[in-house]
Amino acid sequence: MQQDAPASAPHVHLNLNVRGLGPSATLAINERSAELSAAGREVFRLGLGQSPFPVPAPVVEALRQHAAEKDYLPVKGLPALREAISGYLERTEGLHYRADHVLVGPGTKELMFLLQLVYYGDLVIPTPSWVSYAPQAHIIGRHIRWLPTRPEDALGVTPEALEGLCREDPERPRLLILNYPGNPTGVAYDPPQLEAIAAVARRYRVLVLADEIYSGTRFHGEHVSIARYYPEGTIISNGLSKWCGAGGWRLGAVAFPSQLGWLRDGMAAVASETFTSTSAPIQHAAVTAFRGGDWLDDYLVRSRRVLRALAAHFQGVLTDAGATCAPAQGGFYLFPRFEAHRERLARRGIDTGPALCERLLEDTGVATLPGSVFGRPQEDLSLRLAYVDFDGAAALAAADVEPDAAFLQRYCPTMVTAAHRLADWVQV
Ligand code: GLU
């Protein structure tokens, strides 16, 4: 029986914007998977999107060397790191963001929260979008506008959808978050698409946050940013979590065009009153990561080989099983939809995305996340899988050449099994 709070307990009134909010879905599925594993269940951890690869050795070494750094660093970040990030954007994407226009933080997630807090406007995101953009807006009390998407556009933002929304109220301030390669689909935009979206954003003076956290994992070819077409209105975010395998180190950064200095300074002011500055040893190590070198190029070439082979494997198995799934161009996600199985699944009592993932986990041990946590309707039979549950160090070391089926079977056997279990289960 639940005990009443003693009369002396403090009044607790939850902020209305936080009432009913649970833990973030990505972190919740990770913890649940860990509990199930600890209890002896066989679990394929395709829930949390965490890089399978180790942090590159030179970056770990830099961290070791700076472990004794203990002073608070400048709020906006270590000058050498801000230089290195500016250089990284120049080198990898041909973009000119000045070092003093870069703001470093404990993960881009925190910086995005600050951005939404400091910028006053509606949040515009496509359905599906990463799990935390909308809750952050909700916590702060911003309006969330979901952009409708279509399978034939790989569930991405189109200039037409953005135009349709902006036309309703042309002068309204808006923040569009464009994430590519995207979470949860792995899909990126090509230059003509980016140019067309940029033209609409400029026409309606929409602020764009280009969430490029997966840029370094781009499977083929170079990553092109929307900032190329809309430099004055684009803030770029990136960090160590994905391409550098260091999610748990919590280091991210945002780069602002000179026109948006007021926004950067507003965010820095709030940063100074909240997280103060980012961990000193991690910032020193991040200088090495963002400066890069042949060792990083080699690491990225190998990681991309493994990731694209896995994406192709899942894509093939799922498509053969009747799922619809846009081909990924980077990152480590796929977002299959099982509309073709709706009747068959309904006979098993499964008619929503959450039921699909729950039963899949119960029956097969494959942990995924339903499309609904990414803003899809409950009844959407979609899910996100993150193909990251394997020994990344061994796979990386072996990826001298393009991985074939035998390579995947040897170095990523759990992923091969998970793909087949999912495909067999959905076709029962
Ligand atoms: N971005 C990762 C994901 O979508 C994990 C980190 C997080 O959500 O905070 O799974």
Side-chain angles (χ1 to χ4, degrees), residues 370-382:
S372 55
V373 301
F374 300 90
R376 302 294 300 172
Q378 288 284 112
E379 62 277 10
D380 205 56
L381 292 174
S382 56

Side-chain angles (χ1 to χ4, degrees), residues 26-27 47-49 109 130-131 183 214 242 333 384:
T26 50
L27 306 170
L48 179 72
K109 193 172 186 173
W130 174 54
V131 296
N183 180 357
Y214 297 97
K242 310 302 180 185
Y333 308 112
R384 183 193 83 174

Side-chain angles (χ1 to χ4, degrees), residues 180-188 219 326-335 387:
Y180 52 95
N183 180 357
T185 59
V187 173
F219 295 161
Q329 289 150 280
F332 21 74
Y333 308 112
L334 282 173
F335 193 73
Y387 41 90

Side-chain angles (χ1 to χ4, degrees), residues 21 31 49 52 57 79 171 173 179 201 257 279 296 298-299 309 342 344 346 360 363 381 401 428:
L21 213 63
E31 286 170 27
E171 289 306 317
N179 171 220
S279 159
L296 181 63
D298 181 56
Y299 173 95
R342 185 169 285 283
R344 192 179 296 172
L360 177 68
D363 295 350
L381 292 174
V401 290
V428 167

Side-chain angles (χ1 to χ4, degrees), residues 68-355:
E69 299 283 350
K70 57 152 199 70
D71 288 347
Y72 294 113
L73 292 180
V75 173
K76 287 181 182 166
L78 184 70
L81 177 56
R82 298 169 78 202
E83 278 293 344
I85 291 169
S86 161
Y88 173 87
L89 292 174
E90 178 90 47
R91 184 175 85 244
T92 58
E93 302 188 37
L95 301 173
H96 314 295
Y97 282 87
R98 283 172 37 182
D100 56 345
H101 292 171
V102 171
L103 176 61
V104 175
T108 52
K109 193 172 186 173
E110 184 65 27
L111 292 169
M112 285 168 188
F113 185 75
L114 289 197
L115 175 63
Q116 292 212 53
L117 183 79
V118 170
Y119 177 77
Y120 194 86
D122 290 357
L123 173 69
V124 179
I125 43 176
T127 166
S129 282
W130 174 54
V131 296
S132 291
Y133 303 135
Q136 290 191 347
H138 183 79
I139 291 166
I140 296 166
R142 299 281 183 260
H143 289 289
I144 302 159
R145 297 299 310 270
W146 290 97
L147 275 179
T149 57
R150 303 181 311 172
E152 50 273 42
D153 303 313
L155 303 177
V157 173
T158 59
E160 295 76 22
L162 184 61
E163 169 88 41
L165 188 136
C166 292
R167 214 186 297 123
E168 284 173 17
D169 185 356
E171 289 306 317
R172 203 173 167 86
R174 296 181 174 94
L175 166 66
L176 167 71
I177 303 187
L178 206 62
N179 171 220
Y180 52 95
N183 180 357
T185 59
V187 173
Y189 300 95
D190 61 26
Q193 287 172 311
L194 291 171
E195 200 170 358
I197 295 168
V200 179
R202 177 177 288 121
R203 188 172 323 131
Y204 293 96
R205 299 166 64 200
V206 175
L207 177 65
V208 175
L209 173 66
D211 176 354
E212 302 191 351
I213 194 87
Y214 297 97
S215 60
T217 64
R218 191 82 191 234
F219 295 161
H220 297 281
E222 64 165 22
H223 179 78
V224 176
S225 175
I226 189 166
R228 239 189 233 188
Y229 308 105
Y230 187 37
E232 73 279 19
T234 304
I235 300 169
I236 305 241
S237 67
N238 212 320
L240 294 186
S241 298
K242 310 302 180 185
W243 55 265
C244 196
W249 287 22
R250 310 309 301 130
L251 186 126
V254 276
F256 296 82
S258 45
Q259 292 87 340
L260 297 177
W262 55 275
L263 196 55
R264 180 201 59 218
D265 291 344
M267 282 175 66
V270 180
S272 76
E273 304 290 11
T274 51
F275 64 76
T276 303
S277 59
T278 306
S279 159
I282 300 289
Q283 288 203 57
H284 282 282
V287 174
T288 301
F290 279 101
R291 280 189 188 151
D294 291 346
W295 53 269
L296 181 63
D297 296 343
D298 181 56
Y299 173 95
L300 293 175
V301 165
R302 287 165 181 270
S303 345
R304 291 171 191 150
R305 275 188 194 134
V306 177
L307 292 175
R308 68 179 174 239
L310 279 169
H313 176 76
F314 269 95
Q315 170 87 32
V317 171
L318 292 170
T319 309
D320 287 350
T324 336
C325 183
Q329 289 150 280
F332 21 74
Y333 308 112
L334 282 173
F335 193 73
R337 306 178 70 215
F338 299 95
E339 289 309 322
H341 303 77
R342 185 169 285 283
E343 270 180 35
R344 192 179 296 172
L345 288 167
R347 284 199 291 276
R348 294 152 69 186
I350 300 169
D351 48 17
T352 66

